[in-house]
Amino acid sequence: AQTVTQSQPEMSVQEAETVTLSCTYDTSESDYYLFWYKQPPSRQMILVIRQEAYKQQNATENRFSVNFQKAAKSFSLKISDSQLGDAAMYFCAYEGAQKLVFGQGTRLTINP
Amino acid sequence: NAGVTQTPKFQVLKTGQSMTLQCAQDMNHNSMYWYRQDPGMGLRLIYYSASEGTTDKGEVPNGYNVSRLNKREFSLRLESAAPSQTSVYFCASTRMGSSGNTIYFGEGSWLTVV
């Protein structure tokens, strides 16, 4: 069964600095998708970034980028120039052939 | 969250009552999911449906039943609600596109069992 692990329950960073959130996953599939979602207090799920497993190039979206290491089954999220609006819960997610699985989440605090 | 509609948004139940959470998507997606999210926790998969007519158990299926009525609708039923089922419930659907998968979420259903 596929599993997703986020080993950092909480992280904090100074505004304008860079922070990296960790995610590892376990799967026997070769074709899959990985996602990072942001969840503010409203509980809305907001897509941050997406990575296709068959692509070697790391995905980037403005200040957000990932470090995708397929062999190590690692998928970390880097947030550059952190802003107060980045404060939220962040979830790593894996989608394989049929199932979509989430990690436990990391609560990110931005210190002004 | 456009495209995935969940009802009701808020519900209070008494222990032992039954209810059904409705989810509908108008994007012709094959896969649909039900998750629960307890305070400070991640999303745990209750049931999923990879296609119309099929359903499978997820991580925490006990106490729930589902029905994939058609390609558009995927309902979650609590036959005899328990306080441990107090949670926020999310429905999601996914599509496979030429640019990769996209996940769409409903806005969540806040359920309290007293």
Side-chain angles (χ1 to χ4, degrees), chain B residues 17-78:
Chain B
Q17 287 185 321
S18 63
M19 77 159 296
T20 300
L21 299 175
Q22 306 285 355
C23 177
Q25 50 89 10
D26 57 4
M27 297 169 284
N28 203 36
H29 290 177
N30 284 323
S31 298
M32 297 185 73
Y33 305 84
W34 275 106
Y35 297 89
R36 61 176 288 173
Q37 185 180 27
D38 300 325
M41 303 285 287
L43 278 72
R44 293 188 292 170
L45 182 62
I46 305 172
Y47 271 94
Y48 65 102
S49 171
S51 62
E52 181 181 357
T54 67
T55 60
D56 287 285
K57 295 179 180 179
E59 181 186 355
V60 287
N62 291 342
Y64 305 94
N65 285 303
V66 290
S67 178
R68 185 74 183 268
L69 303 170
N70 45 56
K71 192 170 187 179
R72 184 174 174 272
E73 298 171 294
F74 188 40
S75 61
L76 178 72
R77 183 161 179 83
L78 287 70

Side-chain angles (χ1 to χ4, degrees), chain A residues 39 43 50 52 95 100, chain B residues 35 37 94 99 101-103:
Chain A
Q39 189 183 49
R43 300 285 192 128
R50 178 181 66 195
E52 292 88 343
E95 184 177 19
L100 173 61
Chain B
Y35 297 89
Q37 185 180 27
T94 67
S99 59
N101 273 13
T102 302
I103 306 169

Side-chain angles (χ1 to χ4, degrees), chain A residues 2-59:
Chain A
Q2 294 83 16
T3 59
V4 178
T5 302
Q6 293 178 246
S7 59
Q8 306 155 315
E10 297 184 353
M11 291 283 285
S12 63
V13 64
Q14 289 296 125
E15 190 177 5
E17 295 190 344
T18 296
V19 64
T20 298
L21 308 184
S22 301
C23 174
T24 59
Y25 58 95
D26 187 26
T27 184
S28 59
E29 296 175 325
S30 59
D31 191 18
Y32 50 87
Y33 295 84
L34 296 164
F35 306 84
W36 278 98
Y37 273 85
K38 172 184 177 181
Q39 189 183 49
S42 68
R43 300 285 192 128
Q44 182 184 7
M45 297 292 286
I46 302 168
L47 177 64
V48 175
I49 200 164
R50 178 181 66 195
Q51 175 80 43
E52 292 88 343
Y54 65 85
K55 289 186 177 179
Q56 292 186 338
Q57 185 175 6
N58 289 325

